[in-house]
Amino acid sequence: MLADHHEYDVVVTAVAPVGAAVRVDGYEGFIDQAKHPSWWSDTPGAAVGDRMRAVVLDAGGNPPRLSALPSDIRIARSLRHTGPLERLCPPPPGSGRDVEWDAVEEALGVVLPGDYKRLVERYGCGVFGEVLWLLEPGCPDAMYDLVAQTAERAEDLAGFWAMGEAKPSELDQDGVRLVPWGYVEGAGHVLYWLVRPGVEPEEWTVILNEGRGPLWEAHQASCSRFVLDVVAGTSTSFYFTDIDDIVAPEDRAQFRPITQILNQ
């Protein structure tokens, strides 16, 4: 059975003006013309017998729809973890909201990862497992507002480094910047994306700055994968290895939206 956001090696079995039929893992699928690299570049058009890497966009289609575009494959790699997270920790009814992402990204000066947008649209601002806050653009509490915290944290870090605190080696490259997306309740740790020139948002590193010290910890993972590991109790982060001593397993898989917390 094919699954949305999963990658497969496919073989082209037929070609038409509107796209290409493909054989994938024992199933038939279809790649629309605009979802083949030739639509956007000088890459040769699809031909019978071609083999390529593709990602499933709609497993429920008849036939299932796939894409061979590198951009769709990158986005799917990050979205792959939002589904398991939603099954393990279902978004409460009424949580999440629509966001004018173009305006947010213009204010930040960066395009945000697709999996983060999915988390905001499904969960919104709030706390996973009583410890891990998801920041959101326009959150009613400025402490958890993505845009406000990006500016505030940049100013704070610049001050710390000016006073002699060691800057993480990951920031040595020209043009690198940090954008916060998460906050750890109680401990004060901040989770950032490490934004590097020429690196796609779906490939950004997650980097954690401890709340009461100068230490940093980097993870080659998307934000949704990091959250999933915390909720599942499988995180390799030093700062979450003792989460079972802090949060009961049944509470780890709970999400509380900011609206619920403010109304208490």
Side-chain angles (χ1 to χ4, degrees):
M1 185 69 178
L2 302 182
D4 287 347
H5 313 313
H6 282 248
E7 294 175 53
Y8 300 89
D9 291 318
V10 306
V11 179
V12 176
T13 57
V15 177
V18 294
V22 295
R23 186 73 174 167
V24 47
D25 204 30
Y27 295 89
E28 299 298 328
F30 192 83
I31 297 176
D32 292 310
Q33 186 180 29
K35 292 299 182 180
H36 187 275
S38 61
W39 182 261
W40 306 99
S41 68
D42 294 332
T43 301
V48 174
D50 281 355
R51 295 178 179 271
M52 68 188 79
R53 194 72 173 168
V55 65
V56 178
L57 301 179
D58 181 11
N62 186 21
R65 255 38 184 194
L66 295 92
S67 172
L69 297 180
S71 57
D72 284 339
I73 292 174
R74 285 193 301 269
I75 291 171
R77 286 174 182 168
S78 64
L79 287 173
R80 206 170 295 159
H81 301 107
T82 60
L85 176 61
E86 290 175 25
R87 289 191 291 272
L88 181 62
C89 180
S95 64
R97 69 181 184 87
D98 294 330
V99 174
E100 292 292 338
W101 291 113
D102 288 345
V104 172
E105 291 169 339
E106 182 177 358
L108 292 172
V110 294
V111 176
L112 295 168
D115 68 321
Y116 168 73
K117 296 176 184 178
R118 168 78 179 186
L119 292 182
V120 170
E121 290 163 358
R122 298 290 287 128
Y123 292 93
C125 181
V127 60
F128 289 92
E130 302 296 330
V131 294
L132 180 52
W133 278 85
L134 180 70
L135 307 188
E136 172 195 74
C139 181
D141 188 329
M143 183 175 179
Y144 307 112
D145 181 281
L146 179 78
V147 177
Q149 285 303 306
T150 298
E152 182 176 323
R153 298 292 175 179
E155 183 177 346
D156 289 345
L157 289 174
F160 295 149
W161 294 330
M163 290 187 293
E165 184 174 301
K167 183 184 292 189
S169 59
E170 288 87 353
L171 296 181
D172 288 343
Q173 180 184 351
D174 289 342
V176 173
R177 59 177 294 199
L178 297 169
V179 175
W181 62 267
Y183 176 77
V184 180
E185 185 72 20
H189 311 320
V190 181
L191 290 154
Y192 296 90
W193 288 294
L194 184 67
V195 182
R196 294 175 291 169
V199 177
E200 296 291 336
E202 280 67 40
E203 303 295 332
W204 288 349
T205 297
V206 167
I207 186 167
L208 180 151
N209 179 212
E210 65 174 342
R212 297 183 178 89
L215 300 183
W216 294 75
E217 180 188 77
H219 293 267
Q220 293 295 328
S222 64
C223 65
S224 58
R225 175 58 186 268
F226 193 95
V227 175
L228 174 61
D229 284 339
V230 170
V231 170
T234 56
S235 176
T236 59
S237 169
F238 170 80
Y239 299 96
F240 290 95
T241 53
D242 62 349
I243 191 170
D244 284 339
D245 296 333
I246 304 169
V247 182
E250 61 271 20
D251 291 333
R252 273 206 323 263
Q254 299 294 324
F255 176 83
R256 290 205 297 153
I258 185 72
T259 51
Q260 181 187 105
I261 295 170
L262 292 177
N263 290 332
Q264 286 183 338

